[in-house]
Amino acid sequence: MNKTRVEAVSDGIFAIAITLLVLTISEPDDYSHLASQLAHRWPSLAAYVVSFAIIGIMWFNHHSVFGYLERVDGGLFYLNLLLLMTIAFLPYPTGVLGKALLAGEGARTAAVVYSVTMAINALAWGAMWIYASSNRRLLTSSFPESQRRTATLAFTLGAVVYALSIGVAFINAYACLAFHGALAVYYAFDPISRRANRRPEASPT
Amino acid sequence: MNKTRVEAVSDGIFAIAITLLVLTISEPDDYSHLASQLAHRWPSLAAYVVSFAIIGIMWFNHHSVFGYLERVDGGLFYLNLLLLMTIAFLPYPTGVLGKALLAGEGARTAAVVYSVTMAINALAWGAMWIYASSNRRLLTSSFPESQRRTATLAFTLGAVVYALSIGVAFINAYACLAFHGALAVYYAFDPISRRANRRPEASPT
Amino acid sequence: MNKTRVEAVSDGIFAIAITLLVLTISEPDDYSHLASQLAHRWPSLAAYVVSFAIIGIMWFNHHSVFGYLERVDGGLFYLNLLLLMTIAFLPYPTGVLGKALLAGEGARTAAVVYSVTMAINALAWGAMWIYASSNRRLLTSSFPESQRRTATLAFTLGAVVYALSIGVAFINAYACLAFHGALAVYYAFDPISRRANRRPEASPT
Amino acid sequence: MNKTRVEAVSDGIFAIAITLLVLTISEPDDYSHLASQLAHRWPSLAAYVVSFAIIGIMWFNHHSVFGYLERVDGGLFYLNLLLLMTIAFLPYPTGVLGKALLAGEGARTAAVVYSVTMAINALAWGAMWIYASSNRRLLTSSFPESQRRTATLAFTLGAVVYALSIGVAFINAYACLAFHGALAVYYAFDPISRRANRRPEASPT
């Protein structure tokens, strides 16, 4: 497996999934009251923005994680494929959640489905990291041993927090959407990617 | 952040959004009068052409702006992501505007939504530029100081003009669409990208 | 303008348009008679195959033409963008033609729209070629002068033949679709791309 | 033909087709019973997962096969285009199969269409391989002669097995879907790609 080509296809799936999200926003069905029709669709737009942020930030972190890898093997390819499936699938629960909130029916169910998708995504991240990092199987030699344990802890914790989001979904669908938005923002500032960002070799001219 | 990879993903989102636009063109619903059905859909086609031109020309200018950057950091990544969100979102207001003009109802509302999207897009451009250029944070050393102020002025003016387009939308939806088409053509000839185009290092064999 | 990046985005639009075509195939509306429903959709499938071949072969020829260019300038960028618009738009007339042939109504109109799209596409090819080749503006020095005139003639003839396809559409929609399929096959074997294919520098390891 | 650019466009079509699959999952039509609506859609989700795995694993093997090629010519380009057409088309039978299983009607027909698509895909793989490998037309000199015969046998056998899946479709649609899932898993572990994976020159840093 050529690492560059795996990154290129991953980038492609991130880019397509993030752009396809626009098709999930509920379309107006009555143009004679367009303003109120569109105003009522704000949950659909909110779900769009949250999923867009999630995919965008995950893409950033995917980039960082692959920056720590020396090479890619078949096992990592398939764990990465599983991860990409949860991202490519995200437009479905996003559309369902937006439409359930608009309909005022089934919002709790929709939020649970959204959270379960994200929890599986978090498990895929964790599985990919543990596969790549245990015994330093695929890590670059420059990746510090101390940071390896911190990252493993962070991915484990991530899986737990996303599992918790399923509980939040049972309480309230809006709270659940806000929770996922807040988590996305947290991951935009998380230490692992910030450190990756600062590494001089990751910023070629 | 690797600048080349950020450019590649940006290119991907531009390419996908511009191609997805075709799904926004209103489909005929009565094939027994197909000629008149299609003829009535000309506003949908006009909205398609304007949005296609906007995304294509913005892609060109995105290219120019990134040509002035020495490197990419996390802040620029997220401002670029915000910019890409307004572009990936454009198919939605494009479809709504085309269908409202076809229905002869809600056209003003639809034109306002289209213009607001473009105004947010202009703000994202401005924010990205100011972040990258203030104190020459990310600029290449070869980018002339005098041109930096001109560009900041141009981006500020752009935000003002796109805010004005919201006013045009309140007057007439067709005029608003024409206004956006004219703005796209203007940006196709604007001095910043023309100069970028002439730089010898930007034209490798 | 960086030629490599223009090629990459063109490739992206070709790839997305060709893959989006699948969304234009008419879906069954009655699953209790699925076999006959799908059998009646063969014109939709035929339109899919013809458009897929057209875009695929055009991509091949786009590749050849760009292989003759030394560099890309703003004028070529925008003519290329116009060309890409006709390709990104093709899913719309493809879907309409397939559905009109299925409905048994409006097929002539749909075939005319399909042919007009292709005629505009042929004009865009011609305009791009004439812009790039007149006074050898953007051509590589290795491109032989004699072949330049042959190519100009071929592109002019192409525009004429695609204009003729509009006439074929008025006679019969099936004949028109077959005519476009035959033209695609012809272009798959046309001398210009074959020669490009044989150039040693175009076949790196 | 530049081999790298053919690989890049192939990657693009794989990435787009795999991501578009999400649009084939049947959407709920009654949000007041969303939980049971979604639960009944499990065959649609199963078809999604199977097709996702098929495209992902085929992408991996495409990668391996191209790694054995010294160069790409026009013949290979068009056989590869035929192969990509069967992959780009897969979302259609995937959506029809998922919806037929949900409707409880037409499932056998839908499974036959799915299997026929996959059988044509297997024939395209075989045709591409035989074209590239007969008389070692396009193979790298390092590819061992003994492995060439093994691979030809494997591709021939693949076409036979996928033809058999049409028979399985006539017996039971669920069994057919499971059969395709099992085949995908088999190809994820097949010796050819594993060997390709182990080649040192295929794992650059």
Side-chain angles (χ1 to χ4, degrees), chain B residues 190-201:
Chain B
D190 96 270
I192 302 177
S193 35
R194 260 187 300 156
R195 231 168 286 162
N197 196 22
R198 250 186 255 123
R199 293 185 315 155
E201 72 274 22

Side-chain angles (χ1 to χ4, degrees), chain D residues 47 59 113 131 146 163:
Chain D
W59 173 69
V113 170
Y131 177 82
S146 60

Side-chain angles (χ1 to χ4, degrees), chain C residues 125-205:
Chain C
W125 274 107
M128 193 169 90
W129 176 254
I130 287 166
Y131 177 83
S133 68
S134 63
N135 300 320
R136 307 187 62 89
R137 187 187 275 117
L138 305 171
L139 292 183
T140 57
S141 53
S142 66
F143 188 79
E145 186 61 17
S146 60
Q147 211 183 326
R148 181 166 77 88
R149 282 185 222 104
T150 320
T152 306
L153 194 71
F155 280 113
T156 313
L157 219 69
V160 172
V161 172
Y162 276 109
L164 282 178
S165 78
I166 303 173
V168 179
F170 273 107
I171 301 169
N172 184 282
Y174 292 104
C176 178
L177 190 58
F179 187 71
H180 284 291
L183 274 176
V185 170
Y186 167 75
Y187 276 108
F189 291 100
D190 96 86
I192 303 176
S193 35
R194 260 187 301 155
R195 231 167 285 162
N197 194 21
R198 250 187 254 123
R199 292 185 316 154
E201 71 273 20
S203 306
T205 320

Side-chain angles (χ1 to χ4, degrees), chain A residues 7 11 15-16 18-20 22-23 25-28 31-32 34-35 38 41 45 48 52 56-57 59-60 62-63 188 197 202-205, chain B residues 1-3 5-6 9 12-13 16-17 20 23 70 73-74 77-78 81 84-85 88-89 91-92 95-96 99-100 103 105-106 109-110 113:
Chain A
E7 287 180 312
D11 282 359
I16 300 156
I18 212 171
T19 317
L20 274 188
V22 73
L23 301 180
I25 308 175
S26 171
E27 288 198 43
Y31 278 81
S32 62
L34 188 58
L38 291 174
R41 270 151 184 78
L45 186 66
Y48 171 79
F52 196 98
I57 291 159
W59 173 69
F60 188 98
H62 189 268
H63 198 254
N197 196 22
S203 305
T205 322
Chain B
M1 277 328 288
N2 181 311
K3 191 184 136 187
R5 209 176 160 195
V6 174
V9 165
I13 292 178
I16 300 158
L20 274 187
L23 301 180
E70 187 71 34
D73 66 5
F77 178 86
Y78 288 117
L81 192 63
L84 293 173
M85 190 168 78
F89 180 69
Y92 187 78
V96 169
K99 277 156 203 155
E105 289 181 317
T109 305
V113 170

Side-chain angles (χ1 to χ4, degrees), chain A residues 46-47 49-51 53-54 57 114 118 162 174-188:
Chain A
V49 171
V50 169
S51 290
I54 287 172
I57 291 159
Y114 192 94
M118 291 306 299
Y162 276 110
Y174 292 104
C176 177
L177 191 57
F179 187 71
H180 283 291
L183 272 176
V185 171
Y186 167 76
Y187 276 107

Side-chain angles (χ1 to χ4, degrees), chain D residues 107-113 115 164-173 175-176:
Chain D
R108 190 177 295 184
T109 305
V112 168
V113 170
S115 294
L164 282 178
S165 78
I166 303 174
V168 179
F170 273 108
I171 300 169
N172 185 282
C176 178

Side-chain angles (χ1 to χ4, degrees), chain B residues 7 11 15-16 18-19 22 25-28 31-32 34-35 38 45 48 52 56-57 59-60 63 188 197 202 205, chain C residues 1-2 5-6 9 13 16-17 20 23 70 73-74 77-78 81 84-85 88-89 92 96 99-100 105-106 109-110 113:
Chain B
E7 286 180 312
D11 282 358
I16 300 158
I18 212 172
T19 317
V22 74
I25 308 175
S26 170
E27 288 198 42
Y31 278 81
S32 62
L34 187 56
L38 291 174
L45 187 66
Y48 171 78
F52 195 98
I57 291 158
W59 173 68
F60 187 98
H63 198 254
N197 196 22
T205 321
Chain C
M1 274 332 286
N2 181 310
R5 210 176 159 196
V6 175
V9 166
I13 292 179
I16 300 157
L20 274 187
L23 302 179
E70 187 71 35
D73 67 4
F77 178 85
Y78 289 116
L81 193 62
L84 292 173
M85 188 167 80
F89 180 70
Y92 187 78
V96 169
K99 276 155 203 156
E105 288 181 318
T109 305
V113 170

Side-chain angles (χ1 to χ4, degrees), chain B:
Chain B
M1 277 328 288
N2 181 311
K3 191 184 136 187
T4 308
R5 209 176 160 195
V6 174
E7 286 180 312
V9 165
S10 303
D11 282 358
I13 292 178
F14 277 105
I16 300 158
I18 212 172
T19 317
L20 274 187
L21 279 172
V22 74
L23 301 180
T24 69
I25 308 175
S26 170
E27 288 198 42
D29 40 40
D30 173 10
Y31 278 81
S32 62
H33 299 87
L34 187 56
S36 79
Q37 284 262 321
L38 291 174
H40 280 96
R41 270 152 184 77
W42 76 262
S44 216
L45 187 66
Y48 171 78
V49 171
V50 169
S51 290
F52 195 98
I54 287 172
I55 297 179
I57 291 158
M58 248 173 216
W59 173 68
F60 187 98
N61 290 325
H62 189 268
H63 198 254
S64 303
V65 169
F66 269 69
Y68 302 142
L69 303 183
E70 187 71 34
R71 58 189 183 84
V72 166
D73 66 5
L76 193 96
F77 178 86
Y78 288 117
L79 288 169
N80 186 46
L81 192 63
L82 177 66
L83 174 66
L84 293 173
M85 190 168 78
T86 62
I87 286 159
F89 180 69
L90 199 56
Y92 187 78
T94 304
V96 169
L97 180 55
K99 277 156 203 155
L101 289 171
L102 170 65
E105 289 181 317
R108 191 177 294 182
T109 305
V112 169
V113 170
Y114 192 95
S115 294
V116 167
T117 304
M118 291 306 300
I120 296 173
N121 174 274
L123 288 173
W125 273 108
M128 193 170 89
W129 175 254
I130 287 166
Y131 177 83
S133 67
S134 63
N135 300 319
R136 308 187 62 89
R137 187 187 274 117
L138 305 171
L139 293 182
T140 57
S141 53
S142 66
F143 188 79
E145 186 60 18
S146 60
Q147 210 182 325
R148 182 166 78 88
R149 282 186 223 103
T150 320
T152 304
L153 194 72
F155 280 113
T156 313
L157 219 70
V160 172
V161 173
Y162 277 110
L164 282 178
S165 78
I166 303 173
V168 179
F170 273 107
I171 301 169
N172 186 282
Y174 292 103
C176 178
L177 190 57
F179 188 71
H180 283 291
L183 273 175
V185 171
Y186 167 75
Y187 276 107
F189 290 99
D190 96 270
I192 302 177
S193 35
R194 260 187 300 156
R195 231 168 286 162
N197 196 22
R198 250 186 255 123
R199 293 185 315 155
E201 72 274 22
S203 305
T205 321

